């Protein structure tokens, strides 16, 4: 199978998986809780980025710099979700501090690799920070039983 065919199929799958949560969110717009708004905005941004990425890929243009910006936007919105979610339980100042720290890391990645290459360092740092977010959320839920009846 041709590499271009596989690449095109992956682009279509990516766009579909961006549309699916958007459609679900639009149908349930009235019941979206305030802490889920950053994810809703992230879905819309992701869909726009997928469209731009498809255009650049179809045109044969380098689209790596798009991912440099999307990584920053993605981390910021996921961090804002955690800030809003944990605001009623404790002061999420630490998470607010991590957003500019990540911006510095993304800038250092830009200086090291430029915009035309993949953002290896920023993506790796983002992944590590998000893993810590998820582990903290899991630990917090187990320790404090935020939700009484999960199932």
């Amino acid at each position: 199978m041709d590499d271009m065919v596989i690449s095109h199929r992956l682009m279509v799958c990516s766009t579909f998986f961006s549309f699916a949560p958007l459609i679900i969110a639009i149908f349930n717009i009235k019941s979206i809780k305030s802490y889920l708004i950053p994810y809703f905005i992230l879905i819309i941004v992701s869909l726009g980025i997928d469209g731009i990425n498809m255009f650049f890929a179809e045109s044969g243009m380098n689209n790596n710099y798009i991912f440099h910006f999307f990584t920053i936007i993605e981390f910021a919105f996921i961090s804002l979700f955690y800030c809003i979610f944990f605001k009623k339980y404790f002061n999420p100042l630490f998470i607010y501090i991590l957003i500019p720290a990540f911006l510095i890391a993304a800038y250092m990645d830009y200086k090291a690799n430029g915009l035309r290459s993949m953002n290896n360092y920023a993506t790796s740092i983002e992944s590590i920070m998000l893993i810590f977010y998820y582990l903290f959320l899991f630990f917090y839920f187990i320790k404090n039983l935020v939700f009484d009846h999960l199932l």
Side-chain angles (χ1 to χ4, degrees), residues 14-149:
S14 174
T15 304
F16 170 75
F17 285 115
S18 295
F19 266 115
L22 179 65
I23 291 169
I24 292 169
I26 288 172
F27 282 128
N28 297 309
I29 194 89
K30 292 184 180 188
S31 64
I32 291 179
K33 303 214 184 298
S34 64
Y35 57 83
L36 291 176
I37 297 294
Y39 271 120
F40 182 68
I41 295 170
L42 182 61
I43 290 169
I44 294 169
V45 169
S46 176
L47 190 59
I49 294 293
D50 269 343
I52 294 169
N53 186 31
M54 281 181 93
F55 172 74
F56 275 62
E58 294 290 329
S59 301
M61 298 167 57
N62 186 349
N63 59 358
N64 285 331
Y65 66 90
I66 294 170
F67 295 113
H68 283 273
F69 296 115
F70 181 70
T71 303
I72 295 168
I73 293 167
E74 178 183 44
F75 182 78
F77 280 117
I78 293 174
S79 295
L80 287 175
F81 160 75
Y82 281 103
C83 290
I84 294 168
F85 181 81
F86 282 122
K87 189 181 287 186
K88 59 184 170 186
Y89 303 112
F90 63 88
N91 185 6
L93 180 65
F94 181 70
I95 299 173
Y96 284 121
I97 292 171
L98 285 178
I99 296 173
F102 180 73
L103 285 173
I104 293 169
Y107 179 74
M108 289 173 33
D109 182 33
Y110 157 70
K111 283 299 193 181
N113 295 326
L115 287 178
R116 296 224 172 255
S117 67
M118 284 300 294
N119 54 346
N120 300 332
Y121 303 130
T123 304
S124 300
I125 292 169
E126 177 193 28
S127 299
I128 291 168
M129 291 174 139
L130 291 179
I131 287 170
F132 283 124
Y133 284 177
Y134 303 143
L135 287 175
F136 179 74
L137 179 71
F138 179 74
F139 173 76
Y140 192 81
F141 281 168
I142 295 299
K143 186 174 179 182
N144 297 314
L145 293 175
V146 174
F147 299 111
D148 293 331
H149 303 289

